[in-house]
């Protein structure tokens, strides 16, 4: 039409973006970075910020799957175990026939995707509550880990894994590139494909979705499989950064992934939210952790500060509307 | 009969939800020893008025008075203290607690701080026998059928020895004998000086029982008068605002010989061994008392609940759909009765609601085309007169517009058979008219329309044919020429001569 | 026990006991499985039938029973707690740092109990008043409470008086008797209006509110009791080990959910009963012991545990569908 209405619609859109949760979370991260850099000169150094983003990439990957699952109305409590399984079994898979190490990585990802698929089948077809299904899966995997690792740390010889964990093409960690690539794909699936719309639909109202012809069980299964895949990928990256895998390496990422999802504005009740919020959510999480480290407090205070800050941030922005 | 001050009154109360006014400046006065009828169509604001009177919701404007004194902060606890008891349409019982524990909930007799089960047993037992509830008091309410739960709800109100008793459509899920017990009970309570507010759609019941009537239409009070000197037609005129006949379009049948659906020996849920033919171009009505299996018939045809049949044909394909996706592919669409729970994603934008069936069947990873989606949605909105920004969440729409969205979303897929479950429940009169016209239009376009309705006039005035279901079986089939409310109700209640026909 | 058993019997037993009997309704299957496992355990470990053997067994069950109850109360209200493990740790470190000091065992127990009640009530208030989902609040809470435990005792240490350890975790079934007392106290609580309203508030909060129940108060009380039970489980664990460990409770969060679900508690609120949750915790505890005695490798134990939990939840679902 004419320019005045298009300008008006542009202003409206712009204000919508400015008031959206992803943007606000991102702005919070930048603000915290700015303030912290003034207070502590070392904080704002490129190297330090780069390190934070690198740490966030692992959380971001785990939380990618978690975001899908939570939007679909579930929760994945087996994520920590899957990350560990990935990081522990990959070094054992280093096949001599493939000097690049790619085969081992692909095999690991296929395996973790199947683990996620198992979760999905249990939730969708056996109708086990997601919390129980993924919890039982975590217990199951714990047993599996003892077989394959036997309790000791296992060093990785895989060259590609080492590259992913340590290389810095163009000064930016390879892991961050992986994260950005996965993010682009996740956002595309979430917002630009019918699959994404179905995932939102089953999370908001499974019954109405089924009656509208949405394949409820297949969609649910896919969501958990995606979560298995991204957790596996996070495990690969973590292994690369650490050099070795051990039982318990994935443990911090369960709560971190849920916290990143919720901080990013995704409703824990399902149906509303976006990965665009989870990404700054992951950054915010590592930033909080880094700040607490800067404060140089004891482990106890760090944990208390972390929990309190997460709670306060949720109170400030993330109130669930009452729904039934 | 009436004393000076009303026991309970609302003065000029208003209330709106999501910007939609539901009540506008409504007043009502409940006097002791009088049964006061509150009438109005679905969505006229009756339930909201009750919620205000019982303190379950605060009014936006206006005051609630008890014994002539305004109550600034009305709450359920305050209402209970003042002797106001409500029998809600939406049950407030807890399935896992026993009948006695439910009846006493919120005001248990206590000894040393502990519930006195002996006393509770006596008092709850007395309330239960008043309403003819003879099941063991220790039985969990979850084990009772719906009608009996309703009786628990009524016993719960009586247990509190109320001065004011409010009943929201208490008879809709009751059997004839249960309804009779209730009627006698209300007469007795009236004699004891209780103020009673009675909401019902069954006008003969209202005419027989009540002395005073308040009528709401679209949230506004249109009448507040003695019931003497007015007949049922007069009440309907006040409720609808026009003669009942004007609500429905005039139509001629478009029924063809072609069969859309044929089922033989069909069983699903409560339905047993049903035989039915649905022709293209007809509106087939499904009637009966609430909960006789009507919904199971639709859901079974739609592949949403497991169904068995000895022979079936759907739009030329042999066999029934075994899933919703299959049903959609065969050209069947279903519009549920409960829009909020089953029909819509109320927290999602209107546009995604309109397009969801399309997303459900599209290739999972094909990229969406937002421009085209916008055009389709705009077209649907224009055709169904759904006004406003389509990016708003569906809960911002009024009930009628929500229903239009639930219907419109199927149109891009050209369904040949439309299964409609009570499509006008809780819908305002204007939208009702629009929906009626659409239904007849679908039929004349050669679609088959199956209309399950709890509103008998709809069945009489819109359908080519009506089948009546009782206890899971098709007990009667009425052609257009034989259709009347009396005939449908008579079939619905069985051999019993009809008491409830209008 | 309560005023329910007063005179004037007709043919039928008084209402209270009828209600109690009906609560066993769906649980006979679970009880049967528990009995089978108990028999298997007794067969594998004949010492079970001696007093010390029985005492040892009940001691291994006791903390799990307490956290299962703590979780079940919240699940009955329609909530859940991911901070149970942290609360157990906190209880343990408080016990290990106070009881050997001037406060003594009595004072230490009081501090543990107050901490449990206070933190539980605070969690409940945040959930109820600020309308944040329980799962998120307790997730953040697990960091705060866990951090507090680390502050009190940064590394394993502290001490619990020997006689207390001997009493609670020695050769006499004191732990079992305490559990009986706790169950009786729970029964009494459930016979009060505030306690019984947990079911109504969990299953149908709107209906409960309309019936004049102060839903908020019911929920906050439930959270407080849940906190108390978890902290007491921590005290017991400290007595068992003789010292405090700031991360000893971690595994209890997930095990408490598993036990409650095995016992038939639903996630939607108002579904299930405490006796079910207790039976669930007993079953979980027995499973672990029996598999240990059968010489299952840890792997097989984990695998079996995972499968049993899934089976226990999935099978009833299927039966209902048919």
């Amino acid at each position: 039409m004419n320019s005045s209405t298009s300008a008006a619609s542009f202003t409206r859109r712009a204000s919508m973006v400015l008031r959206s949760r992803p943007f606000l979370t991102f702005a919070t991260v930048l603000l915290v970075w700015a303030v912290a850099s003034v207070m502590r000169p070392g904080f704002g150094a490129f190297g330090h910020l780069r390190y934070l983003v690198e740490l966030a990439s692992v959380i971001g990957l785990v939380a990618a799957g978690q975001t899908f699952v939570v939007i679909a109305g579930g929760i994945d409590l087996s994520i920590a175990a899957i990350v560990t399984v990935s990081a522990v079994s990959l070094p054992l898979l280093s096949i001599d026939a493939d000097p690049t190490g790619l085969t081992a990585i692909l095999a690991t990802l296929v395996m973790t995707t199947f683990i996620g698929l198992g979760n999905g089948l249990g939730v969708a077809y056996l109708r086990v509550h997601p919390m129980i299904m993924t919890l039982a899966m975590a217990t199951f995997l714990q047993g599996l880990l003892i077989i394959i690792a036997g309790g000791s740390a296992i060093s990785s010889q895989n060259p590609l894994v080492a590259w992913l964990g340590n290389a810095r093409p163009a000064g930016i960690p390879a892991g961050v590139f992986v994260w950005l690539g996965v993010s682009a794909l996740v956002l595309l699936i979430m917002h630009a494909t019918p699959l994404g719309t179905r995932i939102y639909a089953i999370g908001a109202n499974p019954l109405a979705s089924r009656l509208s012809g949405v394949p409820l069980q297949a969609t649910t299964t896919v969501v958990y499989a995606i979560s298995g895949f991204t957790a596996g990928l996070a495990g690969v990256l973590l292994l690369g950064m650490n050099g070795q895998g051990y039982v318990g390496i994935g443990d911090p990422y369960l709560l971190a992934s849920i916290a990143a999802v919720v901080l990013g504005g995704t409703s824990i009740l399902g149906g509303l939210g976006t990965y665009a919020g989870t990404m700054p959510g992951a950054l915010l999480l590592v930033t909080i952790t880094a700040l607490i480290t800067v404060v140089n407090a004891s482990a106890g205070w760090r944990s208390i500060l972390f929990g309190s800050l997460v709670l306060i941030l949720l109170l400030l922005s993330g109130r669930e509307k009452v729904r039934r | 009969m009436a004393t000076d001050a009303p026991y309970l009154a609302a003065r000029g109360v208003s209330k709106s939800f999501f910007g939609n006014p539901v009540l506008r400046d409504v007043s009502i006065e409940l006097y002791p020893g009088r049964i006061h009828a509150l009438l109005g169509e679905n969505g006229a604001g009756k339930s909201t008025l009750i919620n205000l009177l019982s303190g379950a919701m605060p009014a936006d404007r206006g005051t609630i008075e008890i014994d002539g004194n305004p109550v600034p902060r009305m709450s359920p606890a305050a209402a209970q203290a003042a002797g106001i008891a409500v029998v809600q349409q939406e049950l407030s019982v807890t399935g896992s607690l026993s009948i006695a524990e439910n009846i006493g909930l919120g005001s248990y007799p206590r000894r040393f701080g502990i519930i006195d089960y002996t006393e509770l047993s006596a008092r709850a037992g007395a309330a239960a026998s008043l309403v003819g509830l003879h099941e063991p008091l220790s039985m969990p309410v979850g084990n009772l059928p719906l009608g009996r739960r309703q009786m628990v709800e009524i016993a719960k109100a009586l247990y509190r020895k109320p001065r004011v008793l409010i009943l929201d459509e208490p008879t809709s899920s009751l059997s004839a004998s249960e309804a009779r017990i209730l009627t006698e009970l209300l007469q007795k309570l009236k004699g004891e000086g209780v103020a009673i507010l009675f909401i019902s759609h069954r006008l003969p019941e209202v005419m027989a029982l009540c002395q005073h009537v308040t009528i709401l239409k679209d949230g506004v009070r249109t009448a507040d008068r003695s019931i003497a000197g007015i007949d049922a037609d007069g009440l309907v005129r006040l409720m609808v605002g026009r003669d009942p006949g004007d609500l429905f379009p005039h139509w001629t049948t478009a029924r063809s010989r072609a069969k859309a659906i044929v089922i033989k020996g069909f069983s699903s849920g409560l339905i047993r061994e049903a035989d039915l033919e649905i022709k293209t171009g007809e509106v087939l009505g499904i009637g009966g008392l609430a909960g006789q299996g009507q919904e199971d018939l639709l859901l079974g045809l739609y592949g949403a609940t497991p169904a068995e049949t000895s022979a079936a044909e759907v739009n030329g394909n042999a066999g029934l759909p075994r899933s919703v996706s299959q049903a959609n592919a065969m050209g069947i669409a279903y519009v549920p009765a409960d829009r909020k729970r089953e029909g819509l994603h109320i927290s999602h934008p209107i546009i995604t609601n309109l397009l969801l069936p399309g997303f459900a069947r599209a290739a999972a990873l094909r990229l969406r085309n937002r421009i085209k989606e916008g055009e389709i949605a705009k077209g649907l909105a224009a055709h169904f007169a759904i006004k406003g920004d389509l990016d708003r969440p569906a809960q911002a729409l009024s009930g009628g517009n929500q229903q239009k969205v639930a219907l419109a979303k199927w149109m891009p897929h050209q369904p040949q058979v439309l299964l409609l479950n009570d499509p006008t429940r809780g819908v305002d009169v204007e939208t009702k008219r629009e929906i009626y016209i659409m239904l007849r239009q679908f039929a004349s376009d050669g679609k088959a329309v199956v209309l399950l309705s709890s509103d008998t006039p709809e069945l009489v005035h819109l359908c080519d044919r009506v089948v009546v279901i009782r206890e899971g079986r098709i007990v009667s089939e009425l052609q257009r020429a034989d259709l009347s409310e009396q005939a449908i109700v008579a079939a619905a209640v069985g051999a019993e001569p009809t008491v409830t026909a209008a | 026990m309560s005023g329910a058993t007063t005179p004037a019997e007709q043919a039928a037993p008084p209402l209270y006991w009828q209600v109690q009997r009906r609560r066993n309704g769906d649980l006979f299957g679970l009880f049967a499985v528990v009995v089978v496992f108990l028999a298997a355990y007794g067969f594998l470990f004949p010492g079970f039938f001696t007093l010390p053997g029985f005492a040892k067994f009940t001691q291994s069950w006791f903390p799990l029973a307490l956290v299962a109850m703590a979780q079940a109360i919240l699940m009955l209200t329609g909530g859940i707690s991911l901070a149970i493990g942290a609360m157990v740790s906190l209880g343990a470190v408080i016990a290990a740092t106070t009881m050997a000091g001037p406060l003594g065992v009595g004072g230490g127990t009081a501090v543990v109990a107050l901490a449990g009640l206070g933190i539980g009530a605070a969690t409940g208030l945040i959930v109820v008043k600020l309308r944040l989902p329980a799962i998120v609040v307790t997730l953040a809470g697990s960091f705060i409470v866990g951090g507090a435990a680390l502050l009190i005792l940064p590394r394993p240490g502290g001490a619990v008086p020997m006689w207390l350890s001997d009493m609670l975790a020695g050769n006499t079934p004191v732990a079992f008797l305490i559990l009986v007392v706790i169950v009786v106290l729970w029964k009494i609580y459930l016979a009060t209006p505030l306690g019984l309203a947990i079911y109504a508030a969990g299953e149908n909060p709107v209906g409960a509110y309309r019936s004049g129940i102060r839903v908020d108060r019911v929920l906050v009380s439930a959270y407080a009791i849940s906190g108390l039970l978890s902290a007491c489980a921590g005290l017991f664990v400290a007595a068992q080990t003789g010292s405090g460990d700031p991360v000893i409770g971690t595994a209890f969060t997930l095990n408490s959910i598993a036990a409650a679900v095995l016992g038939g508690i639903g996630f939607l609120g108002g579904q299930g009963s405490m006796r079910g949750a207790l039976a669930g915790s007993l079953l979980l505890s027995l499973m672990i012991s029996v598999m240990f005695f059968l010489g299952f490798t840890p792997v097989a134990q984990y695998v079996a545990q995972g499968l049993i939990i899934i089976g226990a939840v999935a099978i009833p679902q299927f039966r209902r569908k048919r």
Side-chain angles (χ1 to χ4, degrees), chain B residues 51 76 80 88 91-97 100-101 105-106 108 110-111 113-115 117-118 121 136 138-140 156 160, chain C residues 2-4 6 15-16 18-19 22-23 188 190-193 196-197 199-200 203-204 207-213 270:
Chain B
N51 281 331
Q80 220 174 76
Q88 299 277 359
L91 295 180
S92 72
V93 292
T94 304
S96 46
L97 293 182
E101 287 164 332
L105 187 68
Y108 290 122
R110 263 173 294 179
R111 229 168 48 173
I114 287 176
I115 300 170
Y117 271 86
T118 315
S121 173
S138 60
M139 183 183 271
K156 186 171 164 183
R160 290 141 206 265
Chain C
S2 72
T6 38
L15 179 64
Y16 180 77
Q18 286 182 44
V19 169
R22 292 217 191 239
R23 290 233 173 99
I188 294 174
L190 204 59
T192 64
L196 194 61
Y199 278 95
E203 184 185 309
N204 187 348
Y209 175 69
R210 285 180 180 164
S211 305
I213 287 183

Side-chain angles (χ1 to χ4, degrees), chain A residues 127-216:
Chain A
R127 295 158 182 276
V128 181
H129 190 279
M131 227 183 253
I132 293 305
M133 184 63 221
T134 55
L135 177 60
M137 179 62 84
T139 313
F140 189 90
L141 293 177
Q142 247 176 322
L144 197 72
L145 279 168
I146 295 171
I147 305 187
I148 52 183
S152 55
I154 305 168
S155 295
S156 165
Q157 311 296 335
N158 191 314
L160 187 53
V161 171
W163 184 84
L164 282 174
N166 302 306
R168 289 192 176 146
I172 294 180
V176 175
F177 281 114
V178 173
W179 183 30
L180 289 176
V182 170
S183 302
L185 209 59
V186 164
L187 288 171
L188 196 69
I189 291 176
M190 222 171 245
H191 299 294
T193 67
L195 176 64
T197 318
R198 287 179 212 166
I199 292 172
Y200 279 95
I202 66 171
N205 189 340
L207 188 56
S209 304
R210 196 170 78 96
L211 292 174
S212 302
V214 175
L216 188 58

